Amino acid sequence: MTEPILRLSDLCTRFFTKTGQVNAVESLSLEVDAGEVFGIVGESGSGKSVTARSIIRLIESPGRITAGTIEFRDAELAASLAEEYPDAVNGEFVDLVALPESVVRTLRGTSFSMIFQDPESSFNPTLTVGEQIAEAVEVQRRASANPRSVKARTDASAYSLRSYVSGAVLPGRSYVSSESKAEAVELLQQVGIPDPEERVDEYPHEYSGGMLQRAMIAQALAGEPDVLIADEPTTALDVTIQAQVLDLLGELQEETGMTILLITHNLGVIARMCDRVGVMYAGEIVERGTLEDVFDRPAHPYTEGLLGSIPDLDSARGRLQPIAGNVPSLLDHEMDERCYFADRCPKAMERCLEKPSEYDVDGTDGHRTRCYLAVESFDQDRALPEEYFERAGAVEQGTTETGSGREEPR
């Protein structure tokens, strides 16, 4: 049985804005097994990218992680941290939330790497692509004496900002070694960049969108990460390049055995790549299971809605069935303590006005959903009227219908 390499428990990430508190991630619990491809899918605004950034502690102000744990399994790392940070170590697991930022920073690029949505904004336009990949390689090389040692990663004599600045401004001094530059060429070749010996000296603006996405994958692989987080890796690419990028990720995963957490709104990408999948809505995982569980036996109405919005290639005249309504704002004062999907759900019942727990589906092991329909049948007699939430919203805004049929302030 494969053990989890990543374990999230009751994770909460909030953004404290002028308009109010935004609950971007709400008490999220999740396990990702070593060597698997786990997909998180949902509409834009459901909290997918915030979850990804929370894992590697890249949440910027006004956001912050307010509760929960993010445990990463690495026995050697846990042993090296146990004495100095005992509260962060649980057996072979290390809680990233309980570690200081300086320690978490050393894990980025080595234990964790991330492919961001927009490669054009992620590369420095003033440096060649090869230089930027070689820097990532150099970081890993300087910690190669003991890759799992925090001391090796942070030792000032081996790896320091001073050495980096010296290499940038002093003639004859270079932070990046010739070996790292050569490996950057090999990485570009590995990800399918043509003529890598020449392309390594080109700038980001000289790459096409697909090539720049490949270069970002090369940069992410430079540190030989245990977990690769791919946040919408095929966004804005044409379908041919999308297929090439997905094939590349699949081949690299098979070759290296690394774990991939794939974030996307595209169910086709999920079906092509993933072993297991979590469906995310309003900051929560509302359904999880194997690919077959979720696609063939969806248990949550939101999952059914997502699947129903996919074009049917077998029926040219088939009509799409979009999900009515919009994703909620996630502002705390607008989020009732109920099923967050109830106002868009065609099967909403009175029961759904209470917050549902997560239930096993049909007694299965691993297929779970946050919906009462997993444990009881839909009852039309208890269904909420279609206008229920419209009326409730009107009452909250302090309005009431007059005899003339117009709504006026109370």
Side-chain angles (χ1 to χ4, degrees), residues 163-403:
S163 63
Y164 175 77
V165 173
S166 298
V169 300
L170 296 180
R173 295 287 298 276
S174 177
Y175 174 79
V176 176
S177 66
S178 58
E179 291 86 354
S180 293
K181 290 181 179 178
E183 191 166 339
V185 173
E186 293 179 7
L187 283 166
L188 287 176
Q189 184 175 20
Q190 185 180 3
V191 298
I193 298 292
D195 304 317
E197 294 84 359
E198 299 173 8
R199 292 285 188 180
V200 74
D201 294 321
E202 293 183 352
Y203 289 85
H205 73 271
E206 298 178 273
Y207 279 54
S208 68
M211 288 174 60
L212 207 56
Q213 189 68 285
R214 288 172 179 267
M216 179 175 284
I217 294 173
Q219 187 180 47
L221 295 175
E224 302 174 7
D226 298 304
V227 178
L228 177 65
I229 301 173
D231 186 6
E232 301 280 9
T234 58
T235 295
L237 300 179
D238 63 61
V239 291
T240 302
I241 302 301
Q242 282 187 27
Q244 293 174 1
V245 169
L246 294 177
D247 286 342
L248 173 62
L249 286 175
E251 291 168 4
L252 293 172
Q253 196 275 335
E254 288 184 6
E255 291 173 7
T256 64
M258 65 181 172
T259 303
I260 297 180
L261 182 63
L262 181 62
I263 310 293
T264 183
H265 65 274
N266 190 327
L267 286 167
V269 172
I270 292 289
R272 181 170 183 155
M273 291 287 298
C274 297
D275 303 305
R276 292 191 300 139
V277 57
V279 180
M280 196 163 187
Y281 185 79
E284 299 179 326
I285 296 290
V286 297
E287 184 167 359
R288 74 185 77 204
T290 65
L291 192 65
E292 293 76 14
D293 284 338
V294 175
F295 274 59
D296 297 341
R297 297 174 295 276
H300 198 285
Y302 179 61
T303 309
E304 294 177 354
L306 290 178
L307 293 171
S309 64
I310 300 175
D312 185 358
L313 299 181
D314 296 328
S315 175
R317 296 184 179 181
R319 296 180 62 87
L320 297 181
Q321 299 175 358
I323 304 173
N326 299 301
V327 176
S329 69
L330 303 185
L331 284 166
D332 185 68
H333 64 270
E334 295 181 1
M335 302 296 287
D336 298 327
E337 193 63 19
R338 58 166 172 81
C339 171
Y340 295 147
F341 187 63
D343 59 328
R344 304 175 69 188
C345 182
K347 299 180 180 178
M349 300 181 290
E350 295 173 2
R351 187 90 160 92
C352 304
L353 299 177
E354 301 173 10
K355 190 75 172 175
S357 301
E358 194 174 44
Y359 303 100
D360 291 324
V361 178
D362 296 330
T364 58
D365 182 19
H367 186 192
R368 311 200 75 200
T369 185
R370 193 176 291 276
C371 181
Y372 290 114
L373 294 177
V375 291
E376 59 186 83
S377 299
F378 175 65
D379 185 350
Q380 185 65 51
D381 292 336
R382 292 188 294 149
L384 294 173
E386 292 184 5
E387 67 278 8
Y388 176 86
F389 290 101
E390 294 179 9
R391 292 204 310 262
V395 170
E396 288 178 4
Q397 293 173 20
T399 61
T400 183
E401 283 196 355
T402 66

Side-chain angles (χ1 to χ4, degrees), residues 25-42:
V25 178
E26 179 67 27
S27 300
L28 187 146
S29 296
L30 182 69
E31 286 190 356
V32 180
D33 292 337
E36 79 167 332
V37 181
F38 190 100
I40 297 181
V41 66

